[in-house]
Amino acid sequence: MAHILFSVPFYQDVWDDIQQERQPGKIRLSIFLIAGVCGSLPALTWALHVFYRNYNRAGRISAFIIMLLLCDLLVLFLTPYVVTNLLQAENCWDNMTCRMLSSLWAGSETYGLHLQQVVGLEGALSLRNPVAWNFTFFHSCSIIFSIVALLCFSLCEFFSVDHLILLGLPLLFTITLTSCIVTCRAPPHISDAPCTTWKSSSAVLALVTVTMVLYVVFANMCLLLRNYSGHYLDLKYWNLWVTCLSLMSLRVVFDPLLCVLVHRRNLRVQTQQNTHRAHD
């Protein structure tokens, strides 16, 4: 992702013409990135307030939810720097600072999409099998796994390794498919308002499915832009790639809503388990 935005090929005379044609796409992408920052700040503030209030009530907060919100915060922190370099006439991929920060931003964006699917799966498992959910998602293992995965994605961006990112698509597709199957198998209702539980489950399922489809198209466009050398088709793929990236950049707006929906469902599971223990 980052090397496609900022790297310069060998043929400088041809690249100048390509840069002029790609400039409208960069402006459009910058608008979406700025809109994502402006829209996600109030959403993140609201989500953190909800989690802080539930934490004071001794509610368990998933480590993956915490790491997803921290990943979004990292994206928001690096987005102004990326937009500033994106709108400049000269590319900065040869600059080590720009290369490191843009790779960290791209790695955070990519890993945030994967982590979103994991949070959706966690929410589905909490409804279907609360015991398995409690023993599967350990806090310490989840945090270590998240940090290692973020570093791996950032290093792939730094060294322009697109094929390794594509190797994770089967796993990502399996996670999304599992979430769909578990959610659609009519999970037991855990509250007195079944429609509320079903609506939140449908919203989580729809969100993770849409981002999964966008990411598959985006990953294929990355390979085409990386390997294809034609000028006209390169611009066509570039516009489609920018469109997918622009839509995926709005993920930081919806992630807090996803985390709150999953956390509230998990909280209802914990409340029900505690009630059963008290009766026993």
Side-chain angles (χ1 to χ4, degrees):
M1 182 193 304
H3 59 275
I4 295 177
L5 285 175
F6 298 113
S7 60
V8 179
F10 296 107
Y11 303 103
Q12 185 66 37
D13 53 345
V14 178
W15 180 247
D16 292 336
D17 297 334
I18 296 178
Q19 279 289 76
Q20 294 179 359
E21 295 180 353
R22 289 184 175 184
Q23 191 64 25
K26 291 185 177 183
I27 296 175
R28 185 169 65 251
L29 176 59
S30 300
I31 293 174
F32 274 88
L33 290 175
I34 295 173
V37 172
C38 297
S40 62
L41 286 177
L44 272 174
T45 303
W46 167 71
L48 292 176
H49 174 70
V50 171
F51 292 141
Y52 177 76
R53 189 172 55 186
N54 290 335
Y55 181 77
N56 288 336
R57 298 174 183 173
R60 176 178 178 267
I61 302 177
S62 167
F64 282 122
I65 290 179
I66 297 174
M67 295 306 298
L68 178 58
L69 294 179
L70 291 178
C71 185
D72 290 344
L73 285 174
L74 181 60
V75 170
L76 295 181
F77 179 75
L78 294 174
T79 295
Y81 178 82
V82 172
V83 171
T84 301
N85 288 280
L86 190 62
L87 295 178
Q88 292 179 351
E90 298 181 358
N91 292 285
C92 65
W93 189 247
D94 293 333
N95 187 300
M96 186 57 63
T97 302
C98 175
R99 188 166 185 168
M100 291 178 59
L101 293 180
S102 59
S103 298
L104 183 59
W105 169 81
S108 302
E109 285 276 10
T110 306
Y111 179 60
L113 288 167
H114 290 73
L115 201 55
Q116 185 188 83
Q117 309 298 319
V118 177
V119 171
L121 176 62
E122 181 182 3
L125 289 178
S126 68
L127 286 180
R128 194 68 195 174
N129 195 340
V131 177
W133 165 69
N134 282 329
F135 286 97
T136 302
F137 298 93
F138 293 106
H139 270 65
S140 57
C141 296
S142 301
I143 293 174
I144 295 174
F145 172 80
S146 299
I147 295 175
V148 172
L150 176 60
L151 292 176
C152 290
F153 280 110
S154 300
L155 289 176
C156 288
E157 291 289 341
F158 185 85
F159 294 105
S160 305
V161 183
D162 296 320
H163 299 282
L164 292 181
I165 297 178
L166 287 180
L167 292 178
L169 283 180
L171 177 61
L172 191 61
F173 178 77
T174 303
I175 294 175
T176 307
L177 183 62
T178 304
S179 301
C180 295
I181 294 175
V182 173
T183 304
C184 294
R185 286 185 59 189
H189 300 299
I190 57 175
S191 65
D192 296 332
C195 58
T196 303
T197 302
W198 173 249
K199 287 179 180 178
S200 63
S201 303
S202 302
V204 172
L205 177 61
L207 184 59
V208 298
T209 304
V210 169
T211 52
M212 173 64 191
V213 173
L214 282 175
Y215 182 71
V216 170
V217 178
F218 171 79
N220 284 279
M221 291 301 103
C222 283
L223 285 184
L224 289 173
L225 285 171
R226 180 75 175 173
N227 300 325
Y228 193 78
S229 59
H231 189 178
Y232 174 72
L233 291 178
D234 180 76
L235 179 61
K236 183 175 68 174
Y237 291 140
W238 163 265
N239 290 329
L240 181 58
W241 183 81
V242 167
T243 301
C244 293
L245 181 56
S246 300
L247 294 176
M248 287 193 304
S249 65
L250 299 179
R251 173 190 58 82
V252 293
V253 180
F254 299 103
D255 277 352
L257 175 61
L258 172 69
C259 293
V260 170
L261 287 176
V262 172
H263 175 70
R264 285 179 174 174
R265 295 194 320 190
N266 296 346
L267 193 61
R268 286 197 290 268
V269 171
Q270 297 174 45
T271 303
Q272 186 190 34
Q273 290 177 343
N274 293 333
T275 302
H276 288 333
R277 293 193 187 99
H279 287 308
D280 294 339

